[in-house]
């Protein structure tokens, strides 16, 4: 069965406080949907068919989607921290998110009003939603909030963060080792496909899963992915840094 | 007679004419058709497939005995255009799949076409041979060389008729000019040059010169990590040999004039529709990516195809299209699933009819859609074996988007997303269309009274 595409709606300023409270309950689902989309995108960026060059257009579009999500998550940063602390274990949330994505469109339409993220700052002030165009910025602007973002996530779950980070690094090096010597050299050579290689390393933490039907989203709840999902974006930033060092050497 | 609907859309009835390809349930991947193209007269119809083969069909002369039957297309020539290759530097395979075929206008008895895979463009000559020389002096009929000392007489070889043979020979190979995957080729109206476009660059070739090409567009950033946009399609203007357009993954079209500078990094015109903020989602950019761009025959308009719509642009108006047609808007609420199963990255093509009055594009479930620009009517038809009786009239199909499904309608959730019509072609002057459905080629014609 099919599900609704993820939509960000601008918060309607006319909503009363009740709508706001209902929206607070809906926030975890939106965030988890968004996290699932991010996870899915990172899996897609991984080179599944190592024999043939991946489609550059597809890779660019997925990478842009990842950037958009990261941008938005960065903007949500402080607000996100409050929310996650109150919802409990990350792995359970993971299961919830897949359920939501697999709901029929009618069920989704019934309960959920997904308000704009910007309204839910600490003070719950009735700020207008940011102009969506501001958030869809290019890659260059993502550089700035990276440090902020990683700091935020480290504050939140430092232990888990480190554990996942180590595991992800292991998986990356495992991916590299599995390749033939020639291709490993290629990764660090001056060849133009550096773009692909960066993506390989960035997404090396996810195992090679083939996405099938929507019901296949249940694979996100498997042990392998659940542990690496929860701090996926912080891992991403750390990995960026590590990868930059590796590539430049 | 010149094409298209002089009448209202509903007056034209499309009928099944022929289908080429096997009916096997299991489809061999190599047989999947990857491009379809009529030549400039419509006499020939070429297909390319994933296995690197080109099959050319020729239209039979209309029989005087059966005036109600139009000429049928039968196999004229089959040849292996591209072979799989291995790039040793990158340890990667280069697919033999034919991405595009473009015909050259006919200038003598032979036919010429360009075919391309991801990396290499080839010029093929297709010619007929119905005579062969016999009576050589230095070799006998089997081709074995004769002993010159045994020859006592000289004779003049004569041409004798033989069974018609159609042979395809590669006349030029244009290689090693593309780092990225070629998505388009386009023959210039000067018939001396053509262009090939990959994800980041466009090169201009002279047909006679294979060892060099001119780079006319380059959007590769200095740092590949900054890459956010790629070239998705390109085409020359049908009449102005200095003008071409290329589309991008961000939904923009650039028109360039080669007279302004050698490297056309600056566009002469920039076509982009402002975004609708109420429809914004994480998938907005992906569905705005243009999969095909085609000039109208008149050269006044360009048509673009993105995931959900077909748009017609007036060359004189850059800020928005003059027409937008919804191909399958019922998919808008399914984008998450379509992203998951990669269908959202399917590249649909679009075509004009001969008079630029009707446009056609494909969809899923082996459906394809036609839009009449004058009457604003549209129709959904299906390429299927069930409707394959000779001259059977195609019944319009309808997708039910919710609520109660009528008897002949199909619900969105029942659509088969593995049956996609990506490639279609329209005869240059008649109402004959070719529709590629996976490994089958359907030919439909309008009803002859």
């Amino acid at each position: 069965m099919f599900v609704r595409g993820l939509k960000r709606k601008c918060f309607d300023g006319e909503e009363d406080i009740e709508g706001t409270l209902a929206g607070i309950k809906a926030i975890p689902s939106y965030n988890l949907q968004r996290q699932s989309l991010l996870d899915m995108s990172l899996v897609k960026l991984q080179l599944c068919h190592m024999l043939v060059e991946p489609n550059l257009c597809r890779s660019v579009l997925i990478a842009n989607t990842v950037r958009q999500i990261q941008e938005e998550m960065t903007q949500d940063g402080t607000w996100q921290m409050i929310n996650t602390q109150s919802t409990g274990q990350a792995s359970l949330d993971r299961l919830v998110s897949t359920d939501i994505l697999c709901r029929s469109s009618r069920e989704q339409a019934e309960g959920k009003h997904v308000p704009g993220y910007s309204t839910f700052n600490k003070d719950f002030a009735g700020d207008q939603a940011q102009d969506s165009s501001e958030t869809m910025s290019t890659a260059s602007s993502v550089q700035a909030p990276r440090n902020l973002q990683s700091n935020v996530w480290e504050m939140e779950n430092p232990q888990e963060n480190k554990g996942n980070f180590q595991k992800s690094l292991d998986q990356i090096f495992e991916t590299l080792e599995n390749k033939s010597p020639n291709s490993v050299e290629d990764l660090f050579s001056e060849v133009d496909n550096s773009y692909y290689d960066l993506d390989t390393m960035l997404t090396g933490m996810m195992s090679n899963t083939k996405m099938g039907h929507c019901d296949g989203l249940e694979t996100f709840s498997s042990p392998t992915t659940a542990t690496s999902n929860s701090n996926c974006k912080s891992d991403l930033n750390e990995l960026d840094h590590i990868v930059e060092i590796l590539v430049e050497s | 007679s010149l094409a298209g609907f002089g009448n209202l859309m509903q007056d034209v009835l499309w009928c099944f004419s022929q289908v080429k390809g096997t009916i096997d349930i299991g489809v061999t991947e190599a047989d999947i058709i990857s491009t379809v193209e009529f030549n400039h007269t419509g006499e020939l119809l070429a297909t390319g497939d994933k296995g690197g083969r080109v099959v050319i069909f020729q239209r039979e002369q209309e029989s005087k005995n059966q005036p109600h039957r139009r000429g049928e297309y039968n196999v004229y020539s089959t040849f292996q255009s591209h072979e799989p290759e291995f790039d040793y530097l990158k340890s990667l395979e280069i697919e033999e799949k034919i991405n595009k075929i473009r015909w050259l206008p006919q200038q003598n008895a032979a036919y010429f076409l360009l075919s391309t895979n991801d990396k290499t463009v080839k010029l093929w000559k297709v010619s007929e041979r119905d005579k062969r020389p016999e009576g050589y002096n230095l070799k006998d009929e089997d081709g074995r060389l004769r002993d010159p000392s045994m020859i006592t007489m000289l004779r003049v070889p004569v041409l004798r008729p033989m069974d018609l043979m159609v042979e395809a020979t590669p006349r030029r190979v244009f290689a090693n000019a593309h780092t990225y995957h070629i998505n388009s080729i386009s023959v210039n109206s000067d018939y001396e040059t053509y262009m090939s476009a990959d994800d980041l660059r466009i090169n201009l070739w002279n047909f006679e010169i294979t060892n060099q090409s001119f780079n006319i567009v380059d959007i590769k950033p200095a740092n590949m990590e900054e890459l956010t946009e790629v070239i998705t399609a390109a085409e020359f203007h049908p009449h102005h040999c200095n003008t071409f357009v290329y589309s991008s993954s961000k939904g923009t079209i650039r028109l360039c004039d080669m007279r302004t500078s050698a490297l056309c990094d600056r566009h002469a015109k920039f076509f982009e529709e402002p975004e609708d903020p109420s429809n914004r989602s994480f998938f907005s950019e992906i569905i705005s990516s243009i999969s095909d761009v085609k000039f109208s025959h008149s050269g006044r308009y360009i048509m673009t195809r993105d995931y959900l719509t077909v748009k017609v642009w007036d060359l004189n108006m850059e800020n928005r299209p003059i027409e937008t047609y919804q191909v399958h808007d019922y998919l808008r609420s399914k984008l998450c699933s379509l992203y998951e199963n990669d269908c959202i990255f399917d590249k649909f093509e679009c075509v004009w009819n001969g008079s630029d009055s009707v446009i056609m594009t494909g969809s899923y479930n082996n459906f394809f859609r036609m839009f009449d620009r004058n009457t604003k009517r549209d129709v959904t038809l299906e390429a299927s074996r069930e409707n394959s009786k000779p001259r059977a009239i195609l019944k319009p199909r309808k997708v039910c988007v919710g609520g109660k499904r009528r008897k002949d309608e199909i619900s969105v959730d029942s659509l088969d997303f593995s049956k996609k019509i990506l490639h279609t072609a329209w005869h240059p002057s008649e109402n004959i269309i070719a529709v590629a459905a996976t490994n089958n080629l359907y030919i439909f014609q309008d009803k002859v009274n």
Side-chain angles (χ1 to χ4, degrees), chain A residues 42 143 146 165 168-176 184 187-189 193-205 234-249, chain B residues 223-225:
Chain A
L42 293 172
Q143 300 294 333
R146 263 186 185 165
F165 177 51
S168 305
L169 261 189
D170 286 345
Q171 282 170 307
I172 284 179
F173 289 125
E174 196 187 347
T175 312
L176 291 179
V184 167
L187 286 173
F188 301 104
S189 70
N193 58 348
S194 56
Y195 184 78
Y196 305 133
D197 305 312
L198 203 59
D199 280 346
T200 310
M201 288 183 263
L202 283 173
T203 59
M205 53 187 165
S234 67
D235 295 343
L236 205 59
N237 301 321
E238 299 284 352
L239 287 168
D240 275 347
H241 186 55
I242 295 290
V243 157
E244 272 168 35
I245 296 169
L246 288 173
V247 171
E248 279 164 8
S249 67
Chain B
N223 184 357
M224 278 296 276
E225 289 179 38

Side-chain angles (χ1 to χ4, degrees), chain A residues 1-8 30 34 37 40-41 44 50-58 60-62 64-65 67-69 72 101 105 132 136 138-139 180 182-183 186 191-196 198 211-217 244, chain B residues 86 88-95 118-119 179-181 199-201 220 224-232 249-250 277-283 285-286 289 332-342 345 347 412-415 417:
Chain A
M1 294 295 111
F2 298 104
V3 299
R4 284 205 182 282
L6 296 180
K7 251 188 188 183
R8 297 183 314 117
Y30 174 77
R34 187 175 58 186
L37 182 63
M40 198 196 307
S41 303
K44 285 181 175 304
M50 296 304 297
L51 286 176
V52 182
E53 264 181 315
N55 185 324
L56 183 60
C57 182
R58 176 179 173 274
V60 166
L61 289 173
I62 297 170
N64 288 351
T65 306
R67 282 194 191 98
Q68 284 179 35
I69 297 171
E72 194 182 280
L101 284 173
S105 49
S132 54
M136 300 299 146
T138 58
S180 64
N182 283 340
S183 48
D186 285 342
V191 184
D192 267 345
N193 58 348
S194 56
Y195 184 78
Y196 305 133
L198 203 59
M211 298 312 298
H213 198 260
C214 171
D215 296 332
L217 271 175
E244 272 168 35
Chain B
F86 195 78
Y88 291 95
L89 187 63
K90 299 181 186 177
S91 294
L92 292 169
E93 282 183 6
I94 300 172
E95 286 187 316
D118 285 337
K119 298 285 186 180
T179 307
Y180 304 97
H181 291 178
D199 297 311
L200 298 179
R201 298 189 177 102
K220 179 175 181 288
M224 278 296 276
E225 289 179 38
E226 292 166 6
L227 180 67
T228 58
E229 189 175 13
V230 301
I231 298 169
T232 52
S249 55
K250 289 199 169 174
S278 66
N279 254 340
R280 196 92 180 84
S281 75
F282 284 121
F283 305 109
E285 183 183 317
I286 298 178
S289 176
R332 195 177 290 272
S333 58
K334 318 287 186 194
L335 292 179
C336 191
S337 282
L338 295 165
Y339 178 73
E340 184 204 347
N341 64 16
D342 263 16
F345 301 107
K347 290 186 188 283
V412 182
D413 296 326
S414 305
L415 294 174
F417 287 83

